[in-house]
Amino acid sequence: MLKTKNSLLRPGVSAALLIMIAGCQTPTGIDQSSEQLDLPEQYYFYQNTAVKQAEQESLLTLNYWLAELDNQTLDEMINKAIANNRQLQIRRFELAKAEQQLIISGASDWPELSLNVAQSRSKNIINDNSSINNNAEISLDLSYELDVWGRLSDQQKQSQLNFKIAQANYSQALADLSAEIVAGWYRLAEAQQLLELYAERAQNLKNNLEQIKSSYRLGLNQALDVYLTQNDVSSELARLAEQNQQVTEASRALQLLLGDYPSAALSSDVQLPSVQISAYAGVPSELISRRHDLNARWYGLLAADAGLAVAHKNRFPRIALTASTGDSSDQLDNLLDGGSLAWSIIGNISQPIFNAGRLEALEEQALLDVKITEQQYLDDVFQAFSDIENGVHRHQTLLSRFDHFQYARENAVAAEKLAFDQYLKGIVDYTTVLESQRRAFDAQTQLIQLKAQLLQNQVALALSLGGYDPEQINNERPSPGSNAVVTNSNAD
């Protein structure tokens, strides 16, 4: 009869084990379409306009762009910022912290061994009789959890992915900091060039005021012209003071990036360069692997998926082995006196039975975390494509505007000089002079600002295309036959 029962139980036990093993297969919450995105062969801007990409091996990265600028001062500032910037130091500490977590999670591959020593003294009273008992114990305990379902391996995988996230975030922080240094340097140069323009205009207005006052004393013009010119001088001096504040703030912002005290002592003695991009922008399918921030997002998605596997396997039995050996005595110095040691070996299986749906809810929550992280990853990817499409389009728009304003400035400056000459001769009134001065000033200001916008857009575009490595800056200096055109000029 017993034989019959065993024969009936064996298939049931085997089936239960097969179901449990099948249930422990690692689940995934990542949609396959997220791994294989449907992307165009080239950026749409180049498909829908007459502008064509330069077909050359040099990819437009921040390294390439910095090499084309060939500015030793910028290179030195970037190296200084990498060494001293406090936000970057935080990233380094986060990376080191993630590396320590690798050690913590990897410890589950090994048994845990601990030594315990205890000494106790107690007094017992029985029927008004008291006795003093001494007890000393020493034990060596070993415990080890068997990774039957792969739960511990998934935890290790999650830690490894978190370390990769920290690495990618650090690399992206390096790229962001380098781009901020370049942008801050030319932002300071723009502010100083505008300051010089405002100072020159203020001086010109003062000279005009003296001529108009002299003519007024001779009775050649009206008092209104003197008041209007004086108003222009005062307004320009106020603008000059405001622009001086802009220079100070730009200097302090750059010093903060360098890790220096914000004394506003830093100044940029360079003119804004004109850089014509002709490097290869790559294809959309290559972008994800080059962008450190997108890599970090992808690793984050994989880490969340590993967390889902852990949450799933937390619902299954845990098997642990414990072993202990030791000795006890009434005196501490009698321990391990050569007598036989006590020992024990215990196997333990722990299976959650009832927890009011907590573990199931935790698994569902982990699945939702994967879905949320997946959508954040996809949103960042397509935002990156949008940034590049906008960047290359904006570059062409800014170039076109710059050409028009350059021509407008030439005409406006000539008109300003002619209008003032004609005013002194009594041909036109002072309103014409004011209008011509306003147009000349606006055109000159716009040219400086447009050149700065071109530089800022090129930095942002190069950063968006990824692939930055600060150690390669000095290795990517342009060759004599380089297609990129870099010119250092005045505000033009």
Side-chain angles (χ1 to χ4, degrees), residues 62 82 88 92 169-179 468 470:
L62 192 58
I82 290 174
L88 192 61
R92 288 195 185 100
N169 284 335
Y170 176 70
S171 297
Q172 186 62 41
L174 279 174
D176 291 341
L177 177 60
S178 300
Y468 174 69

Side-chain angles (χ1 to χ4, degrees), residues 384-427:
F385 291 137
S386 177
D387 291 342
I388 294 172
E389 296 282 2
N390 287 333
V392 293
H393 196 173
R394 188 181 299 112
H395 177 70
Q396 297 301 323
T397 301
L398 289 172
L399 282 178
S400 177
R401 290 180 61 198
F402 185 84
D403 289 340
H404 291 309
F405 270 105
Q406 193 166 20
Y407 184 64
R409 187 207 60 171
E410 295 172 358
N411 291 324
V413 170
E416 179 187 21
K417 184 178 182 303
L418 179 61
F420 192 72
D421 290 343
Q422 289 183 345
Y423 167 75
L424 294 178
K425 296 176 182 178
I427 301 176

Side-chain angles (χ1 to χ4, degrees), residues 145-264:
E145 181 177 350
L146 300 178
D147 193 20
V148 178
W149 320 114
R151 181 180 62 86
L152 299 179
S153 298
D154 288 328
Q155 287 179 337
Q156 291 179 9
K157 179 182 178 181
Q158 195 172 23
S159 296
Q160 292 166 357
L161 289 167
N162 286 332
F163 179 65
K164 287 182 175 293
I165 293 172
Q167 285 181 314
N169 284 335
Y170 176 70
S171 297
Q172 186 62 41
L174 279 174
D176 291 341
L177 177 60
S178 300
E180 286 174 5
I181 291 294
V182 178
W185 176 246
Y186 286 116
R187 195 176 296 118
L188 177 58
E190 175 195 6
Q192 289 183 329
Q193 282 191 234
L194 287 173
L195 182 65
E196 293 170 4
L197 174 64
Y198 297 165
E200 180 183 356
R201 174 171 165 79
Q203 186 59 49
N204 289 341
L205 288 174
K206 287 181 180 179
N207 295 337
N208 291 350
L209 177 60
E210 291 303 319
Q211 292 187 48
I212 292 174
K213 282 183 176 180
S214 177
S215 298
Y216 173 69
R217 295 188 190 102
L218 296 175
L220 299 178
N221 53 29
Q222 303 175 359
L224 178 61
D225 295 344
V226 177
Y227 292 136
L228 289 174
T229 308
Q230 183 62 64
N231 178 72
D232 282 349
V233 171
S234 299
S235 298
E236 198 59 38
L237 291 175
R239 193 199 307 270
L240 190 63
E242 181 184 2
Q243 187 59 33
N244 190 60
Q245 177 65 25
Q246 296 295 324
V247 172
T248 301
E249 292 180 2
S251 178
R252 287 198 175 105
L254 189 55
Q255 285 180 302
L256 283 177
L257 293 175
L258 294 172
D260 291 339
Y261 183 83
S263 63

Side-chain angles (χ1 to χ4, degrees), residues 42-83:
Q42 62 175 325
Y43 294 105
Y44 273 102
F45 174 79
Y46 294 113
Q47 296 182 27
N48 300 327
T49 65
V51 180
K52 301 300 179 184
Q53 290 202 79
E55 295 185 2
Q56 59 183 52
E57 294 182 359
S58 295
L59 181 69
L60 177 57
T61 63
L62 192 58
N63 289 86
Y64 179 86
W65 196 80
L66 288 171
E68 294 293 339
L69 283 176
D70 196 13
N71 189 311
Q72 189 64 34
T73 302
L74 268 181
D75 293 348
E76 292 174 356
M77 292 177 68
I78 289 173
N79 290 332
K80 180 179 180 179
I82 290 174

